[in-house]
C-alpha cells in the first residue's frame, strides 16, 4: 500500500477504452507497467491513520523489547538496575518519553475508534467524526502529560536551568 | 406459507411459486445457520478478536502503569531499585505487572505478525521472521515472568541505602 504509485499523470496510462472507474484504471496501469499486483487503496485520512496505527504499533513493540530487557537488569543487582534506569532520567530522554507516550496515546485512542467501528452498529458511519474526537482528546491528554512530565524532568530544578 | 395453500384460499400461480420460493429459501437459511453454528472460528478471526479485547484491557493497564510510575510523585526520577522492588512486594502490583507483560507481548507480537504477513511476500523470509518473532515473544515472556516472580527485594549483599524501607523493619 505504501509506495504504490499515484495516478497523477494520465498520459502514462496504457492505451485502452476510457475508464472512469479508479480500480479499473489501476488494474490497467499495473498490467502495463509490469508491476506486481497488490492491494491498491486510495482512501482518505482514515487510510493514513491506519498506516500511523501500524507504524506506532511496531515502534511501541520495539520499545517494549528494550523496556523488558532494562527492567530485567533489576534481577542482577540494585546498583546495576539504578545505573541502567538512570539513563531514563537524562533531560534528553524526557523528549523521547514524550514521543513514546504520544505514540502510545494515539495507538490507544485509535484502538478505541477501531473497536467502535467494528463492534458498534453505527461505528463505520461515524469513523470520520471519531477521528476529530480522537485528535481533540489526544491534544488534551498530551498537554496534561507534557505539563506534568516536563515539569518533573526538563523544568525540574537543576535539570536544565 | 404452506398453510395458505392448504387452507384453500384464493391463490394464483404467482402466490404458490412465491410460497415455494420462500419455503425453499427458509430451508436454505436454516441449513446455513446450522452450518455456521457448527463452524469453529478460524485462527485468524480469534487473533482479530484478541487484538480488540486485549487492546481494551491494555488501555486500563498502560494508563495505570504510566500514572503510577511517570505521573505520580517525582515522575521518572523516582524510579530505582527501592521503588520497583517496593511496589512488586504487593501481590496486586505484581499481578497487574504480570498481566501488563503478557498482554503487551502477545498483543504486540500479534500485531507485528500481521505486519510481516502483509508486507513480506517471500514465504521463506516470512517464515524465518515469524519464527524469530515467536522466539522473541516467548523469551520476553519467560524473562519478564522469571524476573517479576523471583526478585528478592532485600538482597543481603546490596548496600542498605539502595533497598526499600521495609527491609529494615
Amino acid at each position: 500500500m505504501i509506495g504504490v504509485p499515484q495516478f497523477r499523470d494520465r498520459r502514462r496510462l496504457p492505451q485502452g477504452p476510457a475508464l472512469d472507474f479508479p480500480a479499473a484504471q489501476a488494474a490497467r496501469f499495473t498490467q502495463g507497467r509490469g508491476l506486481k499486483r497488490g492491494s491498491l487503496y486510495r482512501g482518505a485520512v482514515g487510510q493514513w491513520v491506519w498506516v500511523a496505527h501500524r507504524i506506532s504499533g511496531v515502534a511501541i513493540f520495539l520499545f517494549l523489547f528494550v523496556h523488558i530487557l532494562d527492567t530485567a537488569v533489576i534481577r542482577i543487582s540494585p546498583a546495576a538496575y539504578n545505573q541502567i534506569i538512570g539513563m531514563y532520567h537524562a533531560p534528553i530522554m524526557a523528549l523521547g518519553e514524550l514521543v513514546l507516550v504520544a505514540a502510545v496515546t494515539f495507538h490507544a485512542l485509535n484502538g478505541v475508534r477501531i473497536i467502535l467501528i467494528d463492534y458498534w452498529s453505527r461505528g463505520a458511519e461515524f469513523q470520520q467524526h471519531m477521528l476529530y474526537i480522537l485528535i481533540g482528546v489526544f491534544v488534551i491528554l498530551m498537554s496534561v502529560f507534557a505539563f506534568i512530565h516536563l515539569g518533573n524532568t526538563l523544568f525540574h530544578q537543576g535539570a536544565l536551568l | 406459507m404452506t398453510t395458505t395453500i392448504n387452507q384453500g384460499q384464493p391463490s394464483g400461480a404467482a402466490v404458490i411459486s412465491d410460497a415455494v420460493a420462500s419455503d425453499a429459501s427458509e430451508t436454505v437459511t436454516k441449513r446455513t445457520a446450522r452450518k455456521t453454528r457448527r463452524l469453529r472460528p478460524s485462527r485468524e478471526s480469534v487473533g482479530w478478536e484478541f487484538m480488540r479485547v486485549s487492546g481494551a484491557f491494555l488501555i486500563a493497564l498502560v494508563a495505570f502503569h504510566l500514572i503510577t510510575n511517570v505521573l505520580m510523585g517525582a515522575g521518572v526520577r523516582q524510579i530505582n531499585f527501592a521503588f520497583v522492588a517496593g511496589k512488586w512486594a504487593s501481590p496486586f502490583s505484581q499481578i497487574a505487572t504480570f498481566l501488563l507483560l503478557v498482554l503487551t507481548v502477545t498483543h504486540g507480537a500479534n500485531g507485528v505478525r500481521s505486519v510481516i504477513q502483509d508486507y513480506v511476500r517471500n514465504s521463506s523470509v516470512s517464515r524465518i521472521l515469524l519464527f524469530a518473532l515467536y522466539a522473541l515473544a516467548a523469551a520476553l515472556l519467560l524473562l519478564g515472568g522469571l524476573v517479576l516472580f523471583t526478585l528478592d527485594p532485600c538482597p543481603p549483599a546490596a548496600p542498605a541505602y539502595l533497598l526499600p524501607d521495609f527491609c529494615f523493619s
Side-chain angles (χ1 to χ4, degrees), chain B residues 109-128:
Chain B
N110 200 25
V112 173
R113 176 189 67 91
S114 62
V115 169
I116 291 174
Q117 286 175 339
D118 277 358
Y119 297 117
V120 182
R121 285 160 185 267
N122 186 317
S123 70
S124 55
V125 174
S126 148
R127 212 176 303 133
I128 291 168

Side-chain angles (χ1 to χ4, degrees), chain A residues 72-140:
Chain A
V73 176
I74 201 168
R75 190 68 183 73
I76 298 173
S77 80
Y81 181 70
N82 286 358
Q83 196 184 348
I84 291 289
I85 211 70
M87 300 197 311
Y88 286 98
H89 304 174
I92 186 73
M93 289 301 279
L95 298 177
E97 285 147 13
L98 202 63
V99 173
L100 173 70
V101 172
V104 171
T105 307
F106 164 74
H107 197 85
L109 291 176
N110 195 44
V112 173
R113 177 171 161 266
I114 291 173
I115 290 172
L116 287 173
I117 290 173
D118 289 340
Y119 289 110
W120 177 31
S121 55
R122 301 188 69 185
E125 196 182 322
F126 291 110
Q127 62 90 10
Q128 194 108 30
H129 297 80
M130 290 196 281
L131 198 56
Y132 302 136
I133 296 172
L134 183 156
I135 294 168
V137 176
F138 178 83
V139 169
I140 294 170

